[in-house]
Amino acid sequence: MRVIAGQYKSRPLKTVKSQSTRPTTDKNKENLFNMIGPYFDGGVVLDLFAGSGALGIEAISRGMDELYAVDKAYKAFAVVKENIASLGIENAHVLKMDYRKALEKFKEEGQIFDLVLLDPPYGLKINQDIIETLAKQGNLAANATIVVEDLKEERLNFAWPFECIKERDFGITVMQIVKYRGEEHA
């Protein structure tokens, strides 16, 4: 696995050797960033189920300013830290915690995200709740982009203040690109 484009283009990334972590392929990563960017003019990215950290690191490489990478598994946490260190990324916060604790932490700190990457283990049926929680807590910037990758049968339906602007099927999975049309909370 490698960084596809931007500042860290072609740099290798370590992967998590675990049955519970499925890395996003380079091809799907490229498809994803072509759908949402492909480049950014700053902002804060949340990679909530970071795995190896590849998606969040790709966002940093393509112009995001700051990364919050969260994973509860120690192996994933260690690999994310190693990948970030090997690239010399200084504006990254790697958190080893359950996503619910992370959401609570972001609420307490008033952290606001411009890009949210959600690719949890399949079958948990938690993406809708996470998105709504981030909005309710005021953790989404006005016009924030949310990327949801899940099984096709877990495809989400969105209502205001969310709008699904792009959707693409990849084998057994669906990738949905969602815009938050609410107001930024400060």
Side-chain angles (χ1 to χ4, degrees):
M1 189 168 29
R2 63 188 173 87
V3 179
I4 304 295
Q7 179 179 354
Y8 304 107
K9 181 180 180 175
S10 300
R11 299 278 301 271
L13 296 172
K14 289 194 172 196
T15 60
V16 180
K17 299 197 182 357
S18 163
Q19 293 297 96
S20 61
T21 303
R22 27 168 196 81
T24 302
T25 65
D26 285 350
K27 183 170 178 47
N28 279 359
K29 194 171 15 169
E30 189 166 14
N31 287 332
L32 160 64
F33 283 94
N34 285 337
M35 289 169 70
I36 64 172
Y39 295 96
F40 306 102
D41 189 22
V44 181
V45 57
L46 169 62
D47 191 353
L48 194 54
F49 299 89
S52 67
L55 292 178
I57 290 169
E58 188 74 33
I60 287 287
S61 183
R62 292 173 183 248
M64 294 300 275
D65 294 321
E66 191 172 5
L67 166 63
Y68 284 81
V70 179
D71 207 297
K72 72 177 185 176
Y74 179 77
K75 284 181 182 177
F77 169 77
V79 168
V80 174
K81 291 208 47 111
E82 196 173 334
N83 281 333
I84 285 170
S86 75
L87 296 172
I89 298 171
E90 295 178 7
N91 48 343
H93 314 275
V94 185
L95 307 171
K96 184 195 168 301
M97 61 178 57
D98 179 79
Y99 78 92
R100 290 171 289 247
K101 283 189 171 30
L103 292 176
E104 188 60 36
K105 176 180 175 58
F106 299 142
K107 176 183 177 184
E108 290 169 8
E109 294 176 355
Q111 182 58 56
I112 295 176
F113 301 104
D114 301 283
L115 174 62
V116 177
L117 305 167
L118 293 178
D119 186 10
Y122 292 153
L124 295 181
K125 300 180 181 183
I126 56 175
N127 287 323
Q128 191 83 46
D129 183 55
I130 291 169
I131 292 167
E132 290 171 2
T133 298
L134 286 167
K136 186 174 69 180
Q137 293 180 171
N139 296 122
L140 296 175
N143 220 29
T145 301
I146 303 158
V147 177
V148 181
E149 186 177 340
D150 211 334
L151 294 170
K152 282 184 194 175
E153 56 266 23
E154 303 297 327
R155 185 182 316 263
L156 300 178
N157 294 308
F158 297 95
W160 188 261
F162 302 100
E163 178 187 3
C164 186
I165 59 168
K166 292 181 186 170
E167 186 173 282
R168 190 172 294 151
D169 292 350
F170 297 100
I172 64 167
T173 65
V174 62
M175 193 173 297
Q176 294 178 294
I177 311 299
V178 180
K179 280 291 189 180
Y180 173 64
R181 301 298 188 193
E183 293 183 24
E184 184 172 326
H185 300 274

